[in-house]
Amino acid sequence: SQLEERFEIRKHILDDVQSKSLERDGVEVGKNTRLLQLRLRESEHLAEKLSQTVSDLTTVLYLKEAELQYWQSRVSHYRQEALTLAKGSNTLKATLSEFEFTTECQSKELAALREEQKELKEVLAQAWREKEELLQRWMEEKREEADRLNKYNDTQEK
């Protein structure tokens, strides 16, 4: 932009000099023509520099646009990947919740079964005790009956 301003100023000066030189005598016109040619070459040189600068900046602009597209593509890719991971995370959380619920239900069921097992062991132990008592009473009754029968047989033999 600074080069463009200098180019415009020199162009304006050249226009002024040309208009003034035409008004003067022929001698000064030769000097002015040479001066104008030098200034024209300088202006052309500046124009070339400006053109090259514009070309360079255009190239840089295209590179930056390509780079921007690349980074936008990467952002899009990572955004999609993040969404996929979030969905996977939500699925895993739901599965974990189900497993936790199942574990809790099974823990409660296990506790109930252990309580039932404890009660059944107590009932079994009580049944064994009653069996032993009944067996003892039956054996006692059989012994008494055998004693009575032996006494009766003894009395019959005499």
Side-chain angles (χ1 to χ4, degrees), residues 46-107:
L46 283 175
E48 284 178 29
K49 278 187 174 182
L50 282 174
S51 177
Q52 184 60 45
T53 302
V54 167
S55 176
D56 292 347
L57 289 174
T58 303
T59 302
V60 169
L61 178 65
Y62 287 138
L63 289 173
K64 290 299 179 182
E65 285 174 350
E67 186 178 0
L68 178 62
Q69 272 187 328
Y70 169 78
W71 288 115
Q72 286 173 340
S73 167
R74 298 293 293 173
V75 165
S76 177
H77 170 75
Y78 286 128
R79 183 176 289 124
Q80 186 61 41
E81 188 175 332
L83 288 173
T84 301
L85 290 173
K87 286 177 186 175
S89 172
N90 289 338
T91 302
L92 288 174
K93 285 179 184 177
T95 303
L96 177 62
S97 243
E98 289 174 21
F99 285 147
E100 287 173 342
F101 177 75
T102 301
T103 302
E104 184 180 336
C105 290
Q106 288 179 345
S107 292

Side-chain angles (χ1 to χ4, degrees), residues 15-26 29 32 36:
D15 290 342
D16 282 348
V17 169
Q18 280 179 343
S19 65
K20 288 179 183 175
S21 66
L22 292 176
E23 295 171 0
R24 295 187 183 170
D25 295 337
V29 170
N32 285 339
L36 288 175

Side-chain angles (χ1 to χ4, degrees), residues 11 13 23 43 71 75 90 93 101 144-145 150 152:
K11 187 176 173 186
I13 291 172
E23 295 171 0
S43 294
W71 288 115
V75 165
N90 289 338
K93 285 179 184 177
F101 177 75
E144 288 175 3
E145 187 179 325
N150 283 339
Y152 175 75

Side-chain angles (χ1 to χ4, degrees), residues 100-156:
E100 287 173 342
F101 177 75
T102 301
T103 302
E104 184 180 336
C105 290
Q106 288 179 345
S107 292
K108 288 177 181 177
E109 187 178 335
L110 179 62
L113 288 172
R114 284 185 175 155
E115 185 62 32
E116 185 178 350
Q117 180 188 30
K118 179 182 168 189
E119 291 170 4
L120 289 174
K121 281 183 177 181
E122 290 173 3
V123 168
L124 180 62
Q126 181 63 33
W128 275 103
R129 284 190 297 273
E130 289 176 7
K131 176 189 166 204
E132 286 298 316
E133 288 175 14
L134 284 174
L135 186 60
Q136 289 298 325
R137 278 195 325 219
W138 182 75
M139 299 253 312
E140 185 62 34
E141 286 178 10
K142 290 298 176 185
R143 218 174 297 129
E144 288 175 3
E145 187 179 325
D147 284 345
R148 275 193 313 257
L149 199 56
N150 283 339
K151 282 185 189 179
Y152 175 75
N153 285 337
D154 281 345
T155 54
Q156 289 295 326

